[in-house]
Amino acid sequence: MADPFGFLKYPRKDNPYRPVAERVQDWEELQIPLSVAERQEQAARCMNCGIPFCHTGIFYGGKRAVSGCPNDNLIPEWNDFVYRGDFKNAFDRLVKTNPLPEMTGRVCPAPCEKSCTEGLNGSGVAIHDNERFIIDQAFENDWVKADGLPVERTEFKVAIVGSGPAGLSAAWRLNQLGHQVTVYERSDRAGGLLMYGIPNMKLDKEIVQRRIDVMEEVGIRFVLNTEIGSDISAEELQSEYDRVIIASGASVARDLKIPGRELAGIHLAVDYLTECTKQVMKQGKKVIEKPLAGKHVVVIGGGDTGNDCIGSAIRQGAASVKQLEITPQLPGTRTKNNPWPEYSMIDRLGYGQAEGLIENPELTVYSTSTKAFIGTEAGKVSAIETVQVDSQFQPIQGTEKRLKADLVLLAMGFTGAEKALLDAFSVKEIYENYATDNEKVYVAGDARRGPSLVIWGIREGRKAAEEVDQLLRSMVYQ
């Protein structure tokens, strides 16, 4: 450790957000990176505490929650290299576990920081921003391409279905290991939710495309606008490739089947965010059209997706935005049953909420459920009927309200993978090692474990790739 007193000398400083009044006028990235000198000071705050809870990935809650980084990133090591100014070695340590740090360095909720030892008596190290700094330095110095080039090529061919975090991670690792990799994506651009599920101000699409371009340069092939089952069959993939990895994500969005659901103007959040991104990519990040001018928008659901919908609707000129959350508001500090180093389940203000609160101090309404959608004679949604719920999510009589709504966005998360895709490959059981009861097919990411974080998808893709690699190499000696 270069500076054993860094955590005492330097206060935590995150990459600042651009002022709200400025950032809502465009789709440019939210944050402004610190200078190199400031970033080195932030890295100096790492204590090298001897038991680095930040990267141990301790699972709890039936393995559905994690304390620390689930990807086992070597955080104290690359923090030390950043402090010393040895950014190349920092990059080398970072990518031993994380092949997509430019993504997690922008969108990960950083469970590593919540379990940082400094978090016991203050704020943890700014690990998330340090990670972004390292990978940005690597792209500037052209280190990334060299990291992706295989030492030698094998004759094995692997197909990957889906180009989200798990698919890209698996593709990068398999290519590093020398295999011939082809990624199949049904959309017109690669990247999955990184491209179309997260708005540009949170994850610039040039950053996503930059990674895709490098992947192609190192030998990975992408086949776009191709859906398994219609454009190419599962049987064709299995006959052409030695193994197939399904990394299609948990793409089935949770719907709200209540009276009036058939009305026009009610959309799944992911569909709305996709259209927003397509418009940005067509017109540019600085062009702001106002298709929602004069419109009242209601976002049903909290979490990152709901937050993204709020920010996007504000940029599109919505007259008002309201967010409904069925759960109660979280506490401001840790409770006794949520001790360190667990992820802190506390109330956090998202960037979209911060933007919405400027115009509407009562932006988010908690413990509230939607009973029905109300429409016009022309079949267009015009309002929603809500009711407050108790701790068991049961409606409280007499608390019904009606809210104006010209656009309703359903941001209630996802339920799982598309069953039809698994059925096409005759997959009925998925094992812990990512293999399935179909010996040629593996499954990774949200398609295997359900809706989760980008870092989980990256871990799963990397681990699945290494399992496939070991299997393929063992076949040589059979």
Side-chain angles (χ1 to χ4, degrees), residues 32-46:
I32 305 169
L34 298 179
S35 68
V36 173
E38 289 175 308
R39 181 55 52 210
Q40 289 180 269
E41 285 186 355
Q42 290 304 300
R45 296 184 68 244
C46 182

Side-chain angles (χ1 to χ4, degrees), residues 140-154:
E140 288 178 18
N141 289 282
D142 203 26
W143 300 330
V144 178
K145 181 179 177 181
D147 174 66
L149 292 170
V151 175
E152 59 181 4
R153 283 288 179 192
T154 73

Side-chain angles (χ1 to χ4, degrees), residues 21 34 38 111 123 126 177 220 223 229 277-278 365 379 382 389 429 455:
L34 298 179
E38 289 175 308
S123 56
L177 293 166
I220 299 167
V223 181
T277 295
K278 287 184 175 181
V365 182
S382 61
V389 296
E429 190 170 0
I455 190 63

